[in-house]
């Protein structure tokens, strides 16, 4: 599934699939998917682009769901803490999780030009990091792997396709 965000695909099916899975998960786990949380997730799914909390707040305000920063931060906290979204540390932004809520070692391929983010799972890397942590008597709490570069579209838009 690596790089699907960069490849042509049926994006509306992609969005529907994630939204259906999140609604089902919320029902099974007794979680409440409020209108603000659902709007936030839909916004994160729109273009596979990372969004800041303030960009999301603009969307929530446009939908009539509030205009105060805590609204966006609460929605994002819910989505991230329940495995429905991820924080992209290098961008101080968020993306919808496209790999499902099961625990996974996520890695993110980030286009530095258009901010499109593709999520992929690297279980081997997760195992290596866990092994290194255990060998160092380190209690691993979270791992974030982010790789930045140029997607094919942005690379093709450069003169001679050469990255600066």
């Amino acid at each position: 599934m690596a790089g699907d965000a960069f490849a042509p695909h049926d994006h509306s099916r992609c969005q529907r699939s994630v939204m259906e899975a999140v609604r089902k998960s919320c029902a099974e786990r007794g979680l409440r998917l409020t209108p603000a949380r659902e709007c936030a997730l839909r916004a994160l799914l729109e273009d596979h682009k990372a969004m800041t909390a303030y960009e999301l707040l603009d969307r929530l305000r446009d939908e009539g769901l509030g205009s105060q920063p805590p609204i966006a931060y609460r929605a994002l906290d819910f989505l991230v803490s329940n495995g429905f979204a991820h924080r992209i540390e290098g961008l101080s932004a968020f993306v919808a999780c496209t790999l499902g809520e099961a625990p996974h070692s996520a890695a993110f391929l980030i286009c530095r030009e258009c901010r499109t983010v593709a999520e992929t799972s690297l279980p081997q890397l997760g195992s290596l990091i866990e092994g290194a942590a255990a060998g160092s008597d380190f209690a691993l709490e979270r791992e974030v792997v982010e790789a930045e570069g140029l997607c094919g579209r942005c690379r093709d838009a450069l003169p001679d396709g050469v990255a600066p």
Side-chain angles (χ1 to χ4, degrees):
M1 187 171 238
D4 281 357
F6 301 122
H9 65 284
D10 183 349
H11 192 63
S12 61
R13 187 176 68 110
C14 170
Q15 290 173 304
R16 272 193 317 277
S17 173
V18 171
M19 289 303 298
E20 288 170 13
V22 168
R23 285 186 191 108
K24 181 180 178 197
S25 178
C26 284
E28 290 171 352
R29 295 162 57 191
L31 300 173
R32 190 163 168 250
L33 189 61
T34 65
R37 293 168 178 173
E38 187 166 344
C39 178
L41 183 58
R42 275 194 328 269
L44 293 177
L45 284 166
E46 275 182 7
D47 297 316
H48 294 290
K49 292 191 187 321
M51 292 183 77
T52 67
Y54 282 92
E55 289 169 330
L56 184 58
L57 181 60
D58 290 341
R59 187 67 53 86
L60 293 168
R61 182 178 38 250
D62 292 347
E63 296 286 326
L65 295 169
S67 60
Q68 298 300 314
I71 300 287
Y73 283 108
R74 277 189 231 123
L76 288 166
D77 182 56
F78 171 85
L79 295 172
V80 170
S81 66
N82 287 291
F84 304 135
H86 298 285
R87 178 175 167 80
I88 303 298
E89 302 292 334
L91 299 176
S92 295
F94 301 84
V95 294
C97 178
T98 58
L99 298 181
E101 68 183 271
H104 54 275
S105 296
F108 303 97
L109 307 175
I110 304 163
C111 180
R112 66 176 166 77
E113 188 65 29
C114 68
R115 292 175 51 117
T116 297
V117 177
E119 179 180 5
T120 187
S121 179
L122 297 174
Q124 308 88 337
L125 183 59
S127 296
L128 288 171
I129 292 171
E130 290 169 12
S136 298
D137 192 28
F138 180 78
L140 184 64
E141 295 176 350
R142 185 173 67 98
E143 62 190 62
V144 178
V145 177
E146 299 176 6
E148 188 177 286
L150 289 171
C151 70
R153 273 189 316 269
C154 292
R155 196 174 55 252
D156 290 346
L158 295 172
D160 300 323
V162 178

